[in-house]
Amino acid sequence: MIQFIIKRLFSTVFILWGVVTIIFLLSHLVPVDPVTMMLGERYDQAVYEQLRHSYGFDQPLWQQYINYMWQLLHGDFGKSYHYIERPVADILRSGVPISLQLGGLAILLELIIGIPSGVLSAIKQNTWIDRMNMGVMMILYSVPNFVLIPICMLVFGVQLRWLPVAGWGSAPHMVMPVAVYTALGTAFYARLTRSTMLEVMREDYIRTARSKGLPERMVIYGHALRNALIPLVSALSPSLAFIVTGAFIIESMFNIPGIGYIAIQASQMNDYPVVAALTLILAVAVALMNMIADILYTVIDPRIRL
Amino acid sequence: MLSPTNRRFNWMGVLVIVSLIAVLVGSCAAPPQPTPEPTKAVIAATPTAAPSPTKPPAPTPTPAPKQVLIFPNIGITEPPTTDPALAGDGNSVEVVSLVYSGLVKQDKDLRPVPDAATKWEVSKDGLVYTFYLRNDIKFSDGTPCTAEDFAYSINRTLNPATKSRQAKAYLGIIAGATDVLEGKAATASGVKVLDPLKLQITLTKPISFFLDTFYFTTSAAVKRAAVEANKGDFTKVETNIGTGPFMIKSWVHGAEMVLVPNPYWYGGKLQLAEYRMPFVKDAATAYKMYLTDEAHLTTVPSDNIAEAEKQPDFVRAPRLRVATLVLNLKHPPLDNPKVRQALAHALDRATIDNVVLRGQLAPIKGIIPPGMMGYNPNIKGYNYDLNKAKQLLAEAGYPGGKGLPPLTLSYPTGGPDPETTRTVTAMQQMWKEVGIEVKLNGMEFGAFLKARNDHTLPFIYTGWGADWPHPQNYLSLLLHSGLPTNWCEYSNPKYDQLVDQADVTFADEKKQLALYAEAEQMAISDVAWIPIGSHVRMYRLKPYVHGFVPYPSWMLGVMAPDWTKVYLSAH
């Protein structure tokens, strides 16, 4: 296990180095000049040269690359182009906890609602309960966020005045965004749980368990669900990784100052240092989550060894 | 042994990351318009009547028990800066103008009125300005603010270490400013503190629009001790010590700023208890916040104009921003004046305004937008006249557009102007009616700016928002030969002479405006520009908020001429 973790961390470092390099090259090869954007519509050659120099853009590319890597090794993401003179780390620090709250709460709810309803559907396969349950889930799964959000805002915010339509902080603020975030995931996990449960229920060991005279509840929760969870774990790890980067559409539309919201703004403003830092954070999160998922497999299924 | 999941880890992780990079780097939209800000018109001008709001004057309503004003700052997740030396975009200036104040400010007609200075004198040669400061100016921490603080603030803006992107444009005219900008001097020789209440500014040229540039935040007072103690980091609340009507009480980065009245403000006691400023990126969200009373002011997104127009709380404000076609007179077929006139006559501006932009682009024929000093409603422009356009095209030797060399119109797909793609597509159709085929070349805003700066585009659709509300900021800056901001290199010695003379005619406003008007007519007759319209912004302002008037500006389109009169009535 320890050996596995060390190996995995070692390869992760290489992957991150590749990611950073790709980001660096992309952000320097795009045809948009950040200094032009900083100056805006009023162009002045002297001011342009001065700013280029102060950001080090007048150095050769390899030199800039080395500087950037050196900064990163010291945990310094550099300074934002758009938020004048503001360290990127500062900008991200305010967003990460908010995205974690939103995403964490939503994923918890997804699992609490999604898995039991999937199990229920699997047990009651092809009854009206199953059909209704899956029908609802299908709708939740197929309505895109950018359609669902304005409808929710109009109904619960503008018409009924039950909930605020923007912001973050108090409980009423959280209800709508968390509900929308949860809708899609719940449907996904319910459908996934149903199909994996059905598959597992046909296995020999379930028949064995039943013939041993185990109560049905034990069969389902002790034997079937435990094995059905394996695909869930692999599905869960990327979604856990992505909560670090926030939910782009939800955060933007509900005006929630999380990382997704910051990312959209940064990409629109060509604020590459922020975009680069975000991508790096996501890469780290995905790598870590995959590692955790691999460790979890061994816990769920003793046949898997690392 | 490695599990099968390991393989998936590798490609999935990389795939996810690469696709995210692609999404992030590939998406490009518009930054807010980083054009700095108008001032008051230096000299009395007759501003054209802006469309007035349809708000009936209420018989002094009773104040509400809770005096909390909520004006969202729309289009951002966080103001780019609150440092007066650096603020160059509307969102930043919106904050800075509440917390800081300068020597002069503009009133709703864009005229100069006293702010921290009670009066000023100008020497006969127009080079020396002496400002007399109030004796009761205090920073929001209670310490006095004197001429020394204003001198420090100006020099700080000019200092290259501050990295101000506006310093040169707004303060470069001050004697010795260039030395400071280039790092050769610490202080500008033209900024002198005569005594604690007297500041003298000497210019290198007797320009007529100096006060207009001095209204801007680049010369607002900051507190030296606070700036130095916090190493110039204005993201901290404690650095933001100003002399404006408000001070920052709390600032949740990326979410909201709460301002409270500055108890030491020389302007008097405010009725408001709090000014809340949520940062709202999405204009559609801001509009919904307005509908649910979570905001007292909102811009109206294009899709909501039709419904909003019918409401009594609807406000229109001219934006001091012109949308125009700019033509390179050396580029065939644009080198033929008849072709240029045909292009101009073929455009139906009223349709562009009403149909394409839902009233957001009031048709104009001249270069100076309405609401600004020097606006000339009687300029001889080009009417919508299809027959005349066809006739001119035939006279130019291209009957029905036959044999006309290809023409490409470049425009930014994003940026500060709404619906550019729809606008140019409509124009393309209009030109087709007379037989002129125009190709469209939509460019990402940053790439467009770069090409425009490099003067590589012969035919562009673009916009210009006034840095200061003075004809110089359009006529001299954008059409004088040899300037980087003259995008299509219009060059006319007679024109240059006229605007050069007008720029320094500071004592006789009538004569100055006549010179500018002559120059403007010349540029229009030469068809160097084909102005399309001037932008109009739409707002909704709660009827129970009192003390605001719409005014022409490129930033927030409502202003409080007197903050002590702003209050909320019971609702």
Side-chain angles (χ1 to χ4, degrees), chain B residues 141-356:
Chain B
D141 62 353
T143 53
C145 165
T146 64
E148 199 64 62
D149 294 288
F150 279 98
Y152 162 76
S153 304
I154 292 166
N155 284 318
R156 178 182 164 267
T157 302
L158 288 169
N159 189 325
T162 310
K163 290 191 194 169
S164 170
R165 297 154 198 192
Q166 287 74 38
K168 191 179 172 191
Y170 284 88
L171 304 173
I173 194 75
I174 297 172
T178 315
D179 292 343
V180 185
L181 283 166
E182 290 170 358
K184 291 176 192 153
T187 55
S189 57
V191 181
K192 281 200 195 75
V193 179
L194 300 181
D195 73 39
L197 298 181
K198 236 192 268 178
L199 185 72
Q200 193 185 68
I201 307 279
T202 310
L203 312 183
T204 53
K205 240 172 54 183
I207 54 166
S208 53
F209 51 93
F210 171 64
L211 285 176
D212 295 76
T213 64
F214 227 55
Y215 156 78
F216 196 61
T217 61
T218 37
S219 48
V222 295
K223 189 174 163 67
R224 182 175 198 155
V227 173
E228 285 172 358
N230 296 303
K231 299 190 182 66
D233 179 4
F234 276 77
T235 59
K236 293 178 177 163
V237 172
E238 56 269 31
T239 315
N240 288 280
I241 307 286
T243 53
F246 290 89
M247 57 190 203
I248 301 172
K249 179 179 138 194
S250 66
W251 181 359
V252 182
H253 289 292
E256 184 181 47
M257 188 183 272
V258 177
L259 300 127
V260 289
N262 166 8
Y264 300 100
W265 186 50
Y266 49 81
K269 193 173 174 342
L270 269 54
Q271 300 177 59
L272 289 176
E274 232 175 49
Y275 181 130
R276 284 183 50 207
M277 186 191 281
F279 312 134
V280 185
K281 172 91 186 90
D282 186 356
T285 303
Y287 191 74
K288 289 196 186 74
M289 288 170 75
Y290 181 87
L291 295 180
T292 58
D293 292 335
E294 290 167 74
H296 296 147
L297 174 82
T298 180
T299 50
V300 180
S302 289
D303 299 342
N304 304 93
I305 290 173
E307 69 184 61
E309 267 177 334
K310 301 187 192 90
Q311 305 295 334
D313 58 5
F314 183 69
V315 179
R316 303 181 53 160
R319 210 176 123 188
L320 285 194
R321 189 177 167 87
V322 168
T324 182
L325 296 164
V326 186
L327 300 76
N328 186 324
L329 275 48
K330 296 187 195 76
H331 180 87
L334 298 174
D335 54 348
N336 185 330
K338 291 207 156 126
V339 172
R340 301 199 299 270
Q341 288 166 7
L343 284 168
H345 277 301
L347 292 177
D348 177 3
R349 292 176 181 78
T351 298
I352 292 174
D353 178 36
N354 298 328
V355 179
V356 180

Side-chain angles (χ1 to χ4, degrees), chain B residues 70-131:
Chain B
I70 313 169
F71 274 17
N73 201 331
I74 301 167
I76 48 158
T77 54
E78 168 88 356
T81 179
T82 61
D83 182 345
L86 301 179
D89 61 287
N91 299 98
S92 299
V93 173
E94 207 172 304
V95 185
V96 172
S97 60
L98 298 171
V99 178
Y100 298 91
S101 66
L103 294 165
V104 289
K105 63 180 180 188
Q106 63 180 357
D107 66 5
K108 65 177 176 42
D109 299 329
L110 313 179
R111 303 264 183 75
V113 287
D115 195 355
T118 51
K119 59 171 185 165
W120 50 89
E121 287 163 359
V122 191
S123 66
K124 277 217 164 57
D125 59 4
L127 287 172
V128 183
Y129 283 71
T130 311
F131 293 94

Side-chain angles (χ1 to χ4, degrees), chain A residues 4 8 11-12 15 19 22-23 26 30 32-33 36-44 46-48 50-51 54-55 81-86 90 94 150 153-154 157-158 161 163-166 173 234 238 242 248 252-255 257 261 263-265 267-270 272 275 278-279 282-283 286-287 290 294 297 304-306, chain B residues 1-3 5-6 8-10 12-14 16-18 20-21 24-25 27-35 75-81 86 160 163-165 168-169 181 235 253-255 279-282 285 288-289 291-294 321 416 444-447 449-450 452-454 462-465 467-468 473 477 484-485:
Chain A
F4 161 77
R8 180 51 76 78
S11 64
T12 302
I15 287 178
V19 168
I22 291 170
I23 299 167
L26 278 177
V30 282
V32 178
D33 178 355
T36 303
M37 300 303 283
M38 286 179 207
L39 283 182
E41 305 201 73
R42 188 166 184 145
Y43 180 72
D44 183 295
V47 181
Y48 178 85
Q50 193 187 12
L51 275 174
S54 72
Y55 280 92
Y81 296 160
H82 178 66
Y83 297 108
I84 307 166
E85 290 297 281
R86 213 170 145 203
D90 259 20
S94 58
M153 280 184 175
L154 282 173
V158 179
R161 295 290 175 101
L163 296 164
V165 294
H173 280 115
S234 36
F242 268 98
F248 299 114
S252 304
M253 289 178 95
F254 283 110
N255 204 49
Y261 192 38
I264 295 227
Q265 166 100 348
S267 59
Q268 288 181 346
M269 301 293 173
N270 303 301
Y272 299 124
V275 175
L278 277 166
T279 316
L282 179 66
V286 170
N290 277 307
D294 285 348
Y297 291 135
I304 297 175
R305 287 219 186 76
L306 295 173
Chain B
M1 175 202 135
L2 287 178
S3 70
T5 51
N6 216 7
R8 183 179 49 239
F9 154 77
N10 279 333
M12 223 177 98
V14 171
V16 159
I17 292 161
V18 169
L20 189 84
I21 298 171
L24 286 184
V25 175
S27 69
C28 278
Q33 174 194 349
T35 315
I76 48 158
T77 54
E78 168 88 356
T81 179
L86 301 179
K163 290 191 194 169
S164 170
R165 297 154 198 192
K168 191 179 172 191
L181 283 166
T235 59
H253 289 292
F279 312 134
V280 185
K281 172 91 186 90
D282 186 356
T285 303
K288 289 196 186 74
M289 288 170 75
L291 295 180
T292 58
D293 292 335
E294 290 167 74
R321 189 177 167 87
E444 190 277 327
F445 185 61
L449 276 185
K450 178 142 182 40
R452 192 180 78 172
N453 294 341
D454 297 343
T462 184
W464 183 256
D467 299 325
W468 42 82
N473 194 247
L477 186 71
T485 34

